[in-house]
């Protein structure tokens, strides 16, 4: 049951690939348009050449002397990985001048440039102040990245970039049609994060069932350790383990209906069961005192200090909390525990999806260059550099060979292998940002986990917010295919 | 001669007026214009939609909630800040014990206190907000640690995580960071009041409370009124503190304020047209407030 969407996802890849073949001529016309744009001062695209070693492929017909303007979100992953890739670009195109900007203020800094028609060539549109992707797509402000996906990959010219990626990544960047507007460079594994060392101190393993989870929390409580903590000021971290839990209980179609903003989507029994299970953590006093007042860094710190065993989070946490994490912490991620035997999906069902959305604006002066930089970033050298530097996976399938992975990343890798096809990818947080963060997160889930709302009240409230969003015609709507 | 004078004055005014027109007046006009469009802020294309944004605003629950918070701040913030400012300034200048050869004096060490009070003013609001964010941390923050130390550990409020407390936490920080400025401002005002007034009052047997309400406050009224308008504008803003301490509208929108809501609409939801309509609403509220304060506060001016 749960794997139906997975099949369609695979079909999609095939279909998209086929379409890609047919659409190659159209694509090059499109991309020419993108770089030319409506700017008068854009230089005509010269065929590749100029610097770089002879015989090197330049499949994207990059203008070797055109300057490249890159904006990188300076968050959990920093910006060094991008600078390193830019150095590679510079090696291939020595005449190109590269302007690099690192910022946390993506929207306030970049939005005016979109508006003025002079956007950068490549943007890592991430963080709390990311620009709304749905709106950018709706306004036709982005370049279709199929040209990049159909270009040969950096390491194996016989393979297209598209064929070197993890499943689901390309589809995440699509909205209505077959165009790929967004490319997710990082690959994030969401779930219940814990310390193997701290569990061993309690003679415990990661609990595979909810009963074991409750028992373990009880045991910890007796020793004065809380079972769970979460980013109380950012309660939209709770879904990182709660949504896959819902999917596990009721199947992925429950999440799909939630993403599609269907009426009564939240009233599904699986949602209620999952909410009640989490609410029990509060009722039994298994949540770290004061959690509701902690932000993400503060809650991660408390967790690193061993004050709580579990925290819902994404795989960026290993890099983000590096300075706080004790040496023998042995960070690991667990998939949601099973509620009971009637769960629709097996233990191991996990939320994993692309992170760090990269976009190439339509009016970029050097859109080809922006895509070329992405192609370089997807090469083995840059990928491994990223993995080593920030301990996160990338969208390149593999790339970890020969690397000694830090514990959290190794555990993400293991969890992915174990999940196999049972990977879910709820889209609420990409499609409806304020619904997910402020309404569901801060105005419902956060209050429920703090005992201010019962699960029934929380569901009712969330359903109402969902209905409001569905009826709000100023919000662009998306649907699972 | 008269003509020449006006030309002379106009010659000096042309440049500043032009600058004022371009950089102050024209953005206002532009914002009002955009508020009648469906501009997204992400592209330069948009359509006129007439009053649609304002209609939507009227039906928008969150707008009213944010406005409610702003109005609450508008009442509480100036009252508390100016009240404390007046009280401290009075104590520093007039409230002390009588000493020889001086009709009035501040409490002992008043020079030192003045510096202490003013200190938050030299810190950037970003630093202040961040500082308090740590102080409010329920587990390792200064405030709960203090409560633990005096035996009130069982209270253990979640501060910023508690929808009933969050707005008050924000208000407290705004008061803390502003009070010092008014202490200094009012001190300056008070030192301009002739000492003979106080001497006469004291000879008539007035106590400290009476001297404050009969002499200090009436003579300081203009300054207080200006302070009230400034504090009111602070209350209508509040963006920086909310943004840094809460990183959003807080639990259950408990700290949503108009400026933050406007920012969300403009920069995360891509609805810049609606955001400018919110901005216009904010402008109207600010003007109404300033008008009311000026009207109510009008008094005869005492000369001394």
């Amino acid at each position: 049951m749960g794997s139906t969407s997975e099949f369609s996802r695979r079909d999609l890849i095939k279909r998209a690939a086929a379409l890609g073949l047919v659409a190659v001529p159209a694509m090059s016309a499109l991309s020419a348009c993108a770089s030319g744009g409506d700017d008068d001062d854009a230089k005509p695209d010269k065929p590749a050449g100029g610097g770089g070693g002879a015989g090197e492929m330049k499949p994207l017909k990059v203008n070797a002397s055109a300057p490249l303007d890159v904006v990188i979100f300076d968050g959990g992953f920093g910006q060094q990985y991008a600078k390193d890739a830019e150095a590679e670009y510079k090696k291939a195109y020595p005449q190109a001048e590269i302007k690099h900007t690192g910022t946390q203020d993506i929207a306030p800094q970049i939005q005016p440039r979109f508006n003025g028609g002079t956007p950068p060539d490549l943007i890592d549109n991430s963080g709390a102040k990311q620009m709304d992707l749905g709106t950018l797509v709706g306004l036709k402000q982005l370049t279709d990245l199929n040209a990049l996906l159909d270009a040969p990959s950096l390491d194996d010219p016989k393979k297209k970039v598209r064929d070197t990626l993890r499943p689901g990544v390309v589809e995440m960047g699509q909205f209505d049609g077959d165009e790929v507007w967004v490319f997710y460079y990082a690959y994030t594994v969401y779930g219940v994060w814990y310390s193997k060392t701290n569990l061993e101190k309690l003679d415990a393993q990661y609990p595979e069932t909810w009963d074991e989870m409750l028992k373990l929390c009880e045991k910890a409580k007796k020793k004065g350790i809380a079972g769970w903590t979460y980013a109380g000021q950012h309660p939209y971290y709770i879904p990182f383990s709660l949504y896959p839990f819902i999917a596990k209980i009721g199947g992925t179609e429950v999440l799909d209906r939630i993403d599609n903003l269907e009426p009564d989507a939240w009233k599904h029994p699986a949602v209620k069961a999952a909410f009640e299970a989490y609410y029990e953590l509060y009722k039994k006093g298994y949540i770290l005192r004061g959690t509701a007042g902690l932000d993400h860094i503060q809650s991660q710190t408390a967790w690193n200090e061993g004050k709580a065993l579990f925290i819902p989070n994404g795989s960026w946490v290993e890099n983000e909390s590096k300075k706080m994490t004790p040496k023998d912490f042995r960070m690991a991620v667990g998939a949601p525990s099973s509620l009971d035997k009637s769960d629709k999906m097996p233990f191991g069902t996990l939320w994993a999806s692309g992170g760090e959305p990269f976009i190439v604006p339509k009016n970029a002066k050097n859109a080809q260059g922006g895509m070329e930089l992405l192609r370089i970033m997807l090469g083995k050298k840059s990928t491994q550099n990223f993995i080593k530097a920030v301990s996160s996976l990338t969208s390149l399938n593999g790339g970890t060979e020969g690397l000694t992975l830090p514990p959290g990343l190794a555990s993400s890798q293991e969890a992915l292998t174990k999940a196999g096809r049972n990977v879910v990818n709820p889209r609420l947080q990409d499609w409806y940002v304020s619904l997910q963060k402020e309404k569901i997160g801060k105005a419902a889930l956060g209050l429920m986990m703090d005992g201010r709302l019962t699960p029934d009240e929380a569901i009712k409230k969330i359903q109402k917010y969902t209905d409001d969003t569905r009826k709000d015609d100023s919000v662009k709507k998306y649907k699972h295919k | 001669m008269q003509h020449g004078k006006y030309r002379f004055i106009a010659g000096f005014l042309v440049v500043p007026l032009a600058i004022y027109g371009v950089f102050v007046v024209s953005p206002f006009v532009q914002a009002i214009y955009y508020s009648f469009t469906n501009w997204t802020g992400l592209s330069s294309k948009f359509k006129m939609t007439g009053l649609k944004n304002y209609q939507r605003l009227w039906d928008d629950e969150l707008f009213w909630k944010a406005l409610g918070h702003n109005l609450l701040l508008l009442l509480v913030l100036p009252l508390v800040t100016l009240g404390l400012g007046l009280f401290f300034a009075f104590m520093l200048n007039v409230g002390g014990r009588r000493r020889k050869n001086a009709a009035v004096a501040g409490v002992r060490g008043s020079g030192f206190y003045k510096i202490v009070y003013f200190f938050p003013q030299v810190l950037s609001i970003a630093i202040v907000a961040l500082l308090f964010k740590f102080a409010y941390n329920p587990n390792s923050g200064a405030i709960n640690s203090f409560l633990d130390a005096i035996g009130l550990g069982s209270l253990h409020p979640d501060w910023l995580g508690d929808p009933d407390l969050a707005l008050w936490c924000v208000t407290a920080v705004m008061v803390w960071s502003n009070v010092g400025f008014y202490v200094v401002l009012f001190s300056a005002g008070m030192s301009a009041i002739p000492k003979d007034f106080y001497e006469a009052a004291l000879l008539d047997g007035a106590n400290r409370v009476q001297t404050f309400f009969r002499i200090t406050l009436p003579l300081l009224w203009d300054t207080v009124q200006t302070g009230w308008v400034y504090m009111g504008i602070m209350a209508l803003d509040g963006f920086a503190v909310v943004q840094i301490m809460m990183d959003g509208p807080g639990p259950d929108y408990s700290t949503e304020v108009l400026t933050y809501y406007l920012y969300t609409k403009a920069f995360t939801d891509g609805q810049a047209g609606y955001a400018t309509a919110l901005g216009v609403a904010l402008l109207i509220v600010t003007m109404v407030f300033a008008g009311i304060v000026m009207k109510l506060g009008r008094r005869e001016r005492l000369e001394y």
Side-chain angles (χ1 to χ4, degrees):
Chain A
M1 283 218 45
S3 52
T4 45
S5 84
E6 198 59 36
F7 279 122
S8 68
R9 191 176 283 165
R10 264 146 220 279
D11 286 346
L12 256 173
I13 300 177
K14 278 185 223 146
R15 192 153 51 115
L19 265 168
L21 279 177
V22 180
V24 170
M27 219 53 78
S28 58
L30 260 179
S31 39
C33 186
S35 63
D38 44 5
D39 300 306
D40 308 313
D41 52 346
K43 290 171 195 102
D45 278 2
K46 272 179 260 166
E56 248 187 276
M57 303 170 319
K58 305 279 161 58
L60 286 163
K61 298 196 176 64
V62 179
N63 177 356
S65 59
L68 185 70
D69 188 345
V70 184
V71 176
I72 298 293
F73 171 67
D74 189 10
F77 294 144
Q79 41 173 313
Q80 190 54 45
Y81 72 93
K83 283 187 185 159
D84 294 342
E86 283 157 22
E88 294 289 313
Y89 183 95
K90 184 90 185 165
K91 254 189 241 163
Y93 305 96
Q95 289 158 285
E97 256 178 65
I98 299 176
K99 185 180 161 222
H100 174 99
T101 316
T103 180
Q104 301 206 348
D105 267 346
I106 294 288
Q109 293 222 2
I110 307 307
Q111 196 163 313
R113 295 186 58 188
F114 264 99
N115 199 37
T118 55
D121 303 316
L122 182 66
I123 306 165
D124 170 15
N125 179 33
S126 187
K129 294 177 193 162
Q130 63 179 192
M131 289 174 289
D132 189 66
L133 286 168
T135 313
L136 283 173
V137 171
L139 288 166
K140 304 202 167 46
Q141 291 288 312
L142 301 180
T143 300
D144 179 11
L145 300 175
N146 270 307
L148 162 70
L149 296 172
D150 289 323
S153 73
L154 200 67
D155 301 309
D156 181 0
K158 278 177 225 139
K159 267 190 184 171
K160 286 182 188 170
V161 170
R162 171 189 313 280
D163 300 326
T164 63
L165 303 175
R166 289 183 190 275
V169 174
V170 170
E171 291 83 78
M172 269 189 84
Q174 293 174 329
F175 282 75
D176 293 329
D178 292 310
E179 297 96 336
V180 177
W181 302 115
V182 188
F183 186 81
Y184 289 85
Y185 184 60
Y187 197 71
T188 305
V189 174
Y190 300 91
V192 184
W193 289 76
Y194 62 97
S195 149
K196 282 186 183 158
T197 311
N198 287 351
L199 287 199
E200 268 168 25
K201 279 184 198 157
L202 291 165
D203 282 329
Q205 294 256 308
Y206 181 77
E208 296 201 0
T209 68
W210 197 250
D211 286 335
E212 283 172 33
M213 171 61 84
L214 293 176
K215 261 183 223 149
L216 176 56
C217 288
E218 186 62 37
K219 202 170 177 184
K221 193 183 176 188
K222 283 190 184 129
K223 297 213 164 151
I225 302 168
W228 286 61
T229 187
Y230 56 88
Q233 279 203 48
H234 312 281
Y236 46 85
Y237 278 48
I238 299 169
F240 296 162
S241 61
L242 181 63
Y243 286 179
F245 189 37
I246 293 173
K248 187 177 170 345
I249 299 169
T252 42
E253 59 276 11
V254 184
L255 290 186
D256 288 353
R257 288 182 53 208
I258 285 174
D259 285 341
N260 290 345
L261 303 180
E262 283 179 27
D264 295 336
W266 287 90
K267 296 194 174 147
H268 194 281
V271 176
K272 195 173 146 97
F275 274 39
E276 268 167 0
Y278 270 48
Y279 188 62
E280 205 171 351
L281 295 174
Y282 159 77
K283 271 206 307 204
K284 295 204 160 146
Y286 297 156
I287 290 176
L288 179 70
R289 194 162 90 137
T291 289
L294 302 177
D295 71 6
H296 60 301
I297 301 289
Q298 291 165 341
S299 62
Q300 282 160 207
T301 306
W303 168 68
N304 272 319
E305 286 167 352
K307 288 179 185 161
L309 295 178
F310 303 107
I311 188 168
N313 222 316
S315 43
W316 62 78
V317 64
E318 184 166 44
N319 192 50
E320 197 171 44
S321 63
K322 202 156 51 183
K323 284 185 194 134
M324 294 292 179
T325 311
K327 277 221 172 68
D328 62 342
F329 195 69
R330 289 159 66 208
M331 193 180 285
V333 59
S337 313
S338 301
L339 188 65
D340 54 43
K341 289 208 180 75
S342 60
D343 282 6
K344 290 256 167 69
M345 296 174 85
F347 175 73
T349 299
L350 198 67
W351 178 357
S353 67
E356 297 298 294
F358 276 77
I359 48 177
V360 178
K362 186 175 168 230
N363 293 329
K365 294 226 166 57
N366 189 6
Q368 304 309 105
M371 285 195 266
E372 177 70 3
L373 180 58
L374 267 181
R375 200 173 73 96
I376 290 172
M377 285 169 68
L378 283 166
K380 206 166 177 186
K381 187 171 175 195
S382 299
T383 309
Q384 294 213 339
N385 181 35
F386 181 79
I387 295 171
K388 270 189 280 185
V390 303
S391 59
S392 163
L393 298 171
T394 69
S395 288
L396 182 74
N397 207 346
T400 53
E401 304 84 20
L403 292 178
T404 17
L405 302 178
L409 186 57
S411 142
S412 303
Q413 184 87 300
E414 250 170 63
L416 272 179
T417 317
K418 177 146 200 230
R421 294 196 321 198
N422 297 312
V423 170
V424 298
N425 184 6
R427 301 304 306 277
L428 221 49
Q429 64 179 14
D430 319 309
W431 289 351
Y432 309 106
V433 178
S434 41
L435 175 67
Q436 164 74 1
K437 286 193 172 175
E438 278 148 24
K439 297 193 168 82
I440 295 174
K442 291 184 184 175
L445 284 180
L447 299 187
M448 182 184 90
M449 293 307 280
D450 198 27
R452 289 170 201 277
L453 291 178
T454 63
D456 283 331
E457 286 165 346
I459 289 171
K460 217 174 135 193
K461 209 167 166 185
I462 292 174
Q463 185 62 54
K464 186 180 173 289
Y465 283 135
T466 306
D467 295 340
D468 289 348
T469 306
R470 187 178 57 245
K471 288 173 201 147
D472 185 350
D473 56 10
S474 58
V475 178
K476 191 163 164 41
K477 311 293 187 309
Y478 301 98
K479 285 242 181 319
H480 280 279
K481 291 181 200 171
Chain B
M1 271 323 271
Q2 284 295 321
H3 276 290
K5 192 171 96 187
Y6 285 128
R7 208 178 300 152
F8 182 72
I9 294 173
F12 274 96
L13 280 180
V14 153
V15 175
L17 275 181
I19 292 176
Y20 186 79
V22 170
F23 291 105
V24 181
V25 179
S26 79
F28 271 108
V29 176
Q30 228 175 351
I32 293 169
Y33 169 69
Y34 281 130
S35 74
F36 297 109
T37 69
N38 65 355
W39 184 42
T40 56
L42 289 163
S43 106
S44 45
K45 284 178 206 142
F46 53 81
K47 270 190 267 175
M48 290 298 283
T49 53
L51 287 172
K52 207 174 152 216
N53 281 331
Y54 291 93
Q55 249 165 20
R56 190 178 150 201
L57 197 108
W58 189 259
D59 299 323
D60 188 345
E61 257 171 70
L62 274 177
F63 164 72
W64 292 109
K65 192 160 189 174
L67 183 66
H69 291 153
N70 274 119
L71 292 179
L72 186 72
L73 279 176
L74 196 56
L75 279 177
V76 174
L77 198 62
L79 205 67
V80 177
T81 313
L82 299 183
L84 283 174
L86 271 173
F87 173 73
F88 290 141
F90 184 73
M91 295 307 279
L92 292 183
N93 291 288
V94 191
R97 249 173 239 285
R98 283 186 77 180
R99 270 167 244 159
K100 270 180 204 165
N101 304 327
V104 287
V107 295
R108 206 170 302 166
S110 56
F112 173 71
Y113 289 133
K114 241 181 248 183
I115 296 170
V116 172
Y117 287 140
F118 196 70
F119 191 65
Q121 202 63 37
V122 300
L123 294 178
S124 133
I125 187 74
I127 297 172
V128 171
L130 210 59
L131 215 95
F132 271 87
K133 187 176 168 170
F134 288 115
Y136 281 128
N137 179 334
N139 290 332
S140 52
I143 300 174
N144 274 5
S145 304
F146 173 73
L147 287 180
D148 281 339
I150 59 168
L152 291 171
S154 58
L155 283 178
H156 206 89
D158 285 339
W159 299 118
L160 303 180
D162 185 335
D164 303 326
L165 289 177
L167 188 62
W168 299 114
C169 293
V170 171
T171 314
V173 175
M174 290 170 84
V175 168
W176 185 85
S177 59
N178 281 303
V179 135
F181 175 76
Y182 293 98
V183 173
V184 173
L185 182 75
F186 294 150
S187 290
M190 281 179 198
S191 58
I193 299 173
K195 299 273 183 282
D196 335 356
F197 290 12
Y198 288 107
E199 256 172 33
L202 289 171
L203 283 176
D204 288 342
N207 61 22
R208 271 192 255 186
V209 179
Q210 282 165 327
T211 44
F212 177 78
F213 280 106
R214 297 284 165 82
I215 298 176
T216 313
L217 192 56
L219 291 178
L220 215 60
W221 194 248
D222 280 346
T223 323
V224 174
Q225 203 182 349
T226 315
W228 195 281
V229 176
Y230 272 149
M231 254 354 266
I233 290 168
M234 289 261 173
L236 287 172
D237 177 2
F239 176 79
V241 185
V242 168
Q243 154 82 356
I244 296 164
M245 281 174 60
M246 310 302 301
D247 191 23
D252 206 11
Y253 291 101
S254 53
T255 60
E256 182 77 294
V257 289
L258 277 182
T259 41
Y260 193 83
Y261 190 46
L262 188 158
Y263 174 83
T264 319
K265 286 289 159 201
F267 290 114
T268 56
D269 295 353
Q271 301 176 6
Y274 187 56
T276 49
L278 285 165
V280 172
L282 187 62
L283 174 73
I284 294 169
V285 175
T286 314
M287 305 248 276
V288 168
F289 163 75
I292 291 174
V293 172
M294 288 309 192
K295 194 106 193 162
L296 283 184
R298 190 167 295 158
R299 287 196 177 193
E300 249 179 81
R301 215 195 167 101
L302 288 160
E303 290 196 13
Y304 47 86

